[in-house]
């Protein structure tokens, strides 16, 4: 039996408004602002600027419009990918999909007796320290990170307080933010105790 989105308690938390703000600021506002300054400074300083068809208005519209269009498309794609958060749980396997990344781990490789629900303000050793292959913004982390406890971990967290830390017996752990981390942990433990019989 496979458990997935129909059980709301097993959904991963989606990024909130803080992550959305930073994504928009970094992928749209900042590049458009930098481009505007790069075009405006030479014009205001009386310097020369290569013009399209000899027209300053056409040059400004084409340059800023083109950058705005490209940045808007980039923002739209990344915003959609940030919302790609899914858990697929079977009696033998936990699969986590988050933005660009996916991690599959057999349940037998999870140390579920040591797993716990944590607040990262209290358990600072489980905060992300170094991004090794991930996507991170304030309020959202997805992919592979080195935590402060020096363990390589697959991370899929948003801006909530309660995270589920799942230590692994192999080379990596998981740090997840489920809609209901207690329900997810209980389900994982129940499946492990049943020996993969569902």
């Amino acid at each position: 039996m496979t458990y997935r989105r129909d059980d709301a308690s097993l959904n991963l938390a989606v990024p909130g408004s803080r992550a959305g703000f930073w994504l928009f600021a970094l992928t749209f506002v900042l590049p458009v602002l930098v481009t505007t300054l790069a075009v405006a400074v030479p014009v205001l300083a009386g310097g020369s600027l290569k013009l399209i068809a000899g027209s300053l208005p056409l040059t400004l519209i084409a340059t800023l419009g083109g950058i705005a269009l490209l940045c808007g498309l980039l923002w739209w794609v990344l915003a959609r990918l940030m919302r790609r958060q899914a858990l697929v749980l079977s009696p033998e396997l936990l699969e986590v999909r988050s933005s660009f990344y996916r991690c599959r781990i057999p349940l037998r490789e999870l140390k579920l007796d040591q797993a716990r629900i944590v607040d990262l303000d209290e358990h600072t050793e489980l905060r992300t320290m170094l991004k090794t292959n991930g996507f991170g913004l304030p309020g959202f982390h997805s992919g592979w990170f080195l935590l402060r406890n020096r363990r390589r971990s697959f991370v899929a967290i948003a801006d909530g307080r309660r995270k589920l830390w799942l230590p692994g017996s192999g080379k990596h752990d998981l740090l997840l933010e489920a809609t209901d981390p207690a329900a997810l942990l209980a389900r994982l433990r129940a499946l492990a105790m049943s020996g993969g019989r569902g």
Side-chain angles (χ1 to χ4, degrees):
M1 183 174 188
T2 299
Y3 306 94
R4 55 179 307 159
R5 297 181 185 201
D6 54 332
D7 187 341
S9 66
L10 300 182
N11 288 341
L12 286 176
V14 295
S17 57
R18 183 167 78 131
F21 167 82
W22 281 105
L23 180 68
F24 186 71
L26 293 173
T27 60
F28 186 82
V29 176
L30 184 62
V32 169
L33 182 62
V34 168
T35 304
T36 303
L37 289 173
V39 171
V41 167
V43 170
L44 295 174
S48 63
L49 185 68
K50 288 191 175 181
L51 301 177
I52 298 171
S55 169
L56 181 60
L58 180 60
T59 302
L60 293 175
I61 290 169
T63 303
L64 297 179
I67 290 295
L69 183 64
L70 287 173
C71 292
L73 181 61
L74 175 64
W75 166 78
W76 182 81
V77 169
L78 291 177
R80 287 186 61 86
L81 283 170
M82 269 179 41
R83 300 192 75 75
R84 180 183 174 258
Q85 300 283 95
L87 278 173
V88 179
L89 179 59
S90 72
E92 297 84 23
L93 188 74
L94 171 63
E95 182 177 349
V96 184
R97 297 177 193 148
S98 179
S99 68
F100 305 98
Y101 305 96
R102 181 173 76 169
C103 175
R104 301 176 73 188
I105 186 166
L107 295 185
R108 68 180 179 280
E109 291 184 14
L110 293 174
K111 297 179 181 177
L112 294 172
D113 57 325
Q114 297 175 27
R116 62 186 189 269
I117 298 162
V118 296
D119 181 338
L120 296 185
D121 290 337
E122 297 171 7
H123 296 274
T124 57
E125 74 280 3
L126 297 176
R127 286 180 179 236
T128 57
M129 180 175 73
L130 178 67
K131 179 172 34 178
T132 58
N133 181 14
F135 177 43
L137 293 167
F140 181 70
H141 289 81
S142 170
W144 294 99
F145 290 80
L146 189 66
L147 302 185
R148 290 184 183 174
N149 65 1
R150 308 280 190 233
R151 288 282 292 172
R152 184 171 184 257
S153 298
F154 185 84
V155 175
I157 59 175
D159 213 10
R161 290 186 58 99
R162 299 170 70 223
K163 321 293 187 205
L164 177 57
W165 176 61
L166 296 168
S169 58
K171 295 182 178 179
H172 70 273
D173 302 336
L174 287 93
L175 183 64
L176 309 176
E177 186 175 336
T179 304
D180 186 343
L184 176 58
L185 181 56
R187 181 70 58 85
L188 288 167
R189 285 177 171 162
L191 285 172
M193 287 180 65
S194 71
R197 293 187 298 271

